[in-house]
Amino acid sequence: MLYFWFILGAVVFVLLLGTIFFYKNRKKRQRVVSMASYAKKKPVSGQPCSYCKRKAVKLTFYAGNHGSVVGVCASCRKRAERQGLLPI
């Protein structure tokens, strides 16, 4: 009877090691990427204004000096127009 329990314990131990080895190798071979890791991020509530640096829901973009793009909020729009910037 003692041999029976010894053999049963050895079989369970070998099955446990085989199961662990199988799942460990399966993760290494798996090339499919889970899309849960690339969940859609929440959209940004607003971009910062180029002049006052406050986040605004709606920006108007102007062609700045030397070809740069300037995003301007509604309160800074007059300042951009006074500088002679052209809206894009």
Side-chain angles (χ1 to χ4, degrees):
M1 191 69 171
L2 183 62
Y3 292 113
F4 172 73
W5 290 110
F6 180 72
I7 293 173
L8 184 65
V11 168
V12 169
F13 181 71
V14 169
L15 287 175
L16 182 66
L17 285 178
T19 305
I20 291 171
F21 180 74
F22 174 75
Y23 281 112
K24 202 172 194 181
N25 281 342
R26 190 177 98 184
K27 287 183 180 179
K28 288 181 183 177
R29 288 182 281 152
Q30 186 177 9
R31 295 178 187 229
V32 177
V33 178
S34 173
M35 291 305 291
S37 62
Y38 294 102
K40 291 184 180 179
K41 296 180 181 179
K42 293 181 181 178
V44 178
S45 60
Q47 293 179 334
C49 173
S50 295
Y51 291 136
C52 65
K53 305 298 183 200
R54 287 183 292 175
K55 289 195 175 192
V57 177
K58 184 179 178 184
L59 293 179
T60 305
F61 292 96
Y62 288 90
N65 299 333
H66 309 293
S68 62
V69 176
V70 178
V72 181
C73 64
S75 60
C76 297
R77 186 176 296 157
K78 291 180 184 178
R79 182 175 166 187
E81 290 174 354
R82 268 189 258 132
Q83 291 180 357
L85 302 180
L86 300 173
I88 297 178

